[in-house]
Amino acid sequence: MIVQVTDRLKGQYEIQFGTGKVQTIGNYEVNLSELDPDIAYFQIAPVQVYLDDKELTSRSTPYLRQFNIDKFLLEVPFVESGKKNPTLADQKKKKTFLQTDIPFPYVSTRIAVSKKEVVILEPIQNAYDLIHGKNQSLQIEVKRQVKNTKTLQILLQGIVSPQINAGPLEICEVFLSDPSKHDEKHVKKLQECIITLLDLCGKGISINRNLINDQNETEINFQKQLETGFQNLKNEVITKYVKDARMDESDSTSSTVGMFFSPGDDI
């Protein structure tokens, strides 16, 4: 969909500015000084529905989570300029919260943005945000009345045996192997968030065990891989990185950044 819209807009702008005078920019932070003043640039980026933890609880069905929506989130990971071979420890994130005049869906596909807020997350805050996002997804799957084994298994596999994106163990190694390098409150929040992840992951694996066909060897082997991977992850994390952490149940599901939070608030 985005590719089609991008191609259509590029064609329209080239009629106005001329062929070769229009370029698209990807979903990343733009340095205006690097742009050619003779070229017309435009940028299209996907946004996701933004629901805080309270809304995720009150909007209990997929329908409610996709209708009457007026808050959206655009995320752009970035590193400080000049960094060579950046690692997870260098990766920050720019989060742009958008609120529209009228909720979607609507008869018009274009609605004006009435409010905008930008938040920059430091690397350890970005790590917390990644884990918190997995917790939200796991909570949805665990509380779902009609279980979806496909989405549950994909989510669990991505946590206990990540292949592409940074997993919980890598995040622990980077940010919790030497907690003194980071702000104590951010370290504590990350530890508690990871404890919540382990708890939800355990519940998800237990649910999946009850859903699989115990006569299907492929499903049984997959379940064994999940359980083994989870046990290894849990032992490693608890032994090395969160052994001194204590879970605060009242704060275990708190959102990383509230929509339009006050500038002085901590995240």
Side-chain angles (χ1 to χ4, degrees):
M1 183 66 178
I2 291 181
V3 174
Q4 295 172 338
V5 172
T6 300
D7 290 343
R8 177 168 58 83
L9 290 177
K10 185 176 181 181
Q12 292 177 354
Y13 289 136
E14 283 185 337
I15 294 175
Q16 180 178 355
F17 297 105
T19 303
K21 293 293 186 179
V22 178
Q23 291 185 17
T24 60
I25 300 176
N27 185 20
Y28 54 83
E29 195 78 9
V30 178
N31 186 343
L32 298 180
S33 64
E34 297 177 355
L35 301 183
D36 186 340
D38 296 324
I39 298 294
Y41 298 90
F42 72 97
Q43 185 179 40
I44 295 181
V47 296
Q48 62 192 66
V49 172
Y50 176 78
L51 300 174
D52 60 26
D53 290 322
K54 290 183 180 179
E55 287 179 301
L56 278 174
T57 300
S58 62
R59 294 173 180 257
S60 57
T61 67
Y63 173 85
L64 293 175
R65 295 190 185 111
Q66 295 296 327
F67 285 79
N68 196 32
I69 302 296
D70 65 350
K71 299 183 185 72
F72 301 87
L73 173 63
L74 169 64
E75 297 184 327
V76 181
F78 70 98
V79 296
E80 297 292 352
S81 59
K83 286 278 187 180
K84 295 182 179 179
N85 302 319
T87 64
L88 184 62
D90 303 311
Q91 185 169 300
K92 298 184 178 183
K93 183 188 292 182
K94 177 181 179 182
K95 303 184 73 169
T96 303
F97 297 90
L98 305 170
Q99 185 167 13
T100 56
D101 280 336
I102 303 171
F104 279 98
Y106 189 61
V107 291
S108 174
T109 56
R110 296 184 182 183
I111 299 177
V113 173
S114 60
K115 200 169 186 180
K116 173 183 176 181
E117 182 175 351
V118 177
V119 177
I120 303 296
L121 301 186
E122 293 299 316
I124 191 171
Q125 294 172 302
N126 180 40
Y128 171 90
D129 200 49
L130 292 172
I131 298 295
H132 181 76
K134 294 183 185 297
N135 287 349
Q136 287 185 317
S137 298
L138 275 171
Q139 282 184 330
I140 290 173
E141 295 300 326
V142 168
K143 294 180 179 180
R144 191 192 295 270
Q145 292 183 347
V146 180
K147 306 302 183 185
N148 186 325
T149 55
K150 184 176 181 180
T151 54
L152 177 60
Q153 289 175 359
I154 290 174
L155 185 57
L156 290 172
Q157 187 177 36
I159 293 171
V160 302
S161 56
Q163 302 295 321
I164 300 176
N165 297 320
L169 190 56
E170 182 182 353
I171 287 175
C172 286
E173 291 171 349
V174 171
F175 296 103
L176 300 180
S177 59
D178 186 0
S180 61
K181 292 182 178 179
H182 309 285
D183 188 297
E184 183 179 355
K185 69 180 178 185
H186 293 317
V187 169
K188 185 175 185 296
K189 285 176 69 69
L190 180 57
Q191 288 176 324
E192 292 177 348
C193 196
I194 289 172
I195 291 175
T196 302
L197 178 74
L198 294 176
D199 178 59
L200 290 170
C201 194
K203 291 178 180 178
I205 291 176
S206 179
I207 290 171
N208 190 68
R209 185 189 304 118
N210 295 328
L211 294 175
I212 63 174
N213 182 353
D214 58 7
Q215 302 299 317
N216 187 311
E217 186 175 350
T218 300
E219 292 186 3
I220 293 174
N221 289 335
F222 180 77
Q223 177 68 20
K224 289 181 179 178
Q225 291 175 6
L226 286 180
E227 292 180 357
T228 301
F230 173 66
Q231 196 59 49
N232 292 338
L233 171 66
K234 184 177 179 180
N235 291 340
E236 187 88 357
V237 169
I238 291 179
T239 302
K240 293 183 178 180
Y241 304 113
V242 298
K243 56 184 178 181
D244 297 324
R246 294 292 182 270
M247 173 64 74
D248 180 354
E249 294 294 339
S250 64
D251 190 50
S252 62
T253 57
S254 62
S255 177
T256 178
V257 179
M259 182 65 177
F260 306 125
F261 74 112
S262 300
D265 288 350
D266 292 327
I267 57 177

